[in-house]
Amino acid sequence: MTLRKILIEPDPVLRQISKPVIQVGDKERKIMDDMLETMYKANGIGLAAIQIGIPKRIIVIDISKKEEKKNPIYFVNPVIKNKKKELLTYEEGCLSVPNQFAEIDRPIECEVEYLDYNNKKKNSKFSGLLATCIQHEMDHLEGILFIDYLSKLKKTMIIKKLSKQKDKVDRIVV
Ligand code: ZN
């Protein structure tokens, strides 16, 4: 497994629309392994391939707590088949939008069709935190970030802040 670099907004690559995977093979599994390692290292609970610069419809998620056994879920070509009208609010953050958080409403439950780690077709219902996380990650596949749901003013402020951070040189103490 290899640790990959996570792209940070306003990197234009994050705005690309990811392409479907034809078949889940060793190459895709290697990407998923790298994504998972990168996500764990960054203390995230979800990551889309585009966040490490790969425009493929691949997502990894693990909402298990630190003290619990790891429980990764892999989604390739996920499609939402159904979602509840009822909404759930979470304060969301994103590994590509560091240190920024905002309350976002999303359907409380969704049914997703996808291919798993072994190229097996699956259809499952997800609710609560997992449903929110899947929908956040699926937005990444369309080039959408959670800050896109905020007011223009708030979004501009966040992007400005992130751009400034990017220009900063590394601080060292010797
Ligand atoms: Zn994200």
Side-chain angles (χ1 to χ4, degrees), residues 45 61-64 71 73 75 88 90 107-108 110 112 125-137:
I45 56 170
I61 289 176
D62 189 344
I63 60 161
S64 65
N71 186 24
I73 314 175
F75 297 88
L88 177 66
Y90 264 106
I108 194 166
C110 59
V112 188
K125 262 186 196 163
F126 299 96
S127 61
L129 175 59
L130 207 44
T132 292
C133 195
I134 290 165
Q135 292 171 75
H136 173 118
E137 298 310 328

Side-chain angles (χ1 to χ4, degrees), residues 51 93-96 136-137 140:
Q51 291 180 275
C94 178
L95 293 175
S96 295
H136 173 118
E137 298 310 328
H140 277 298

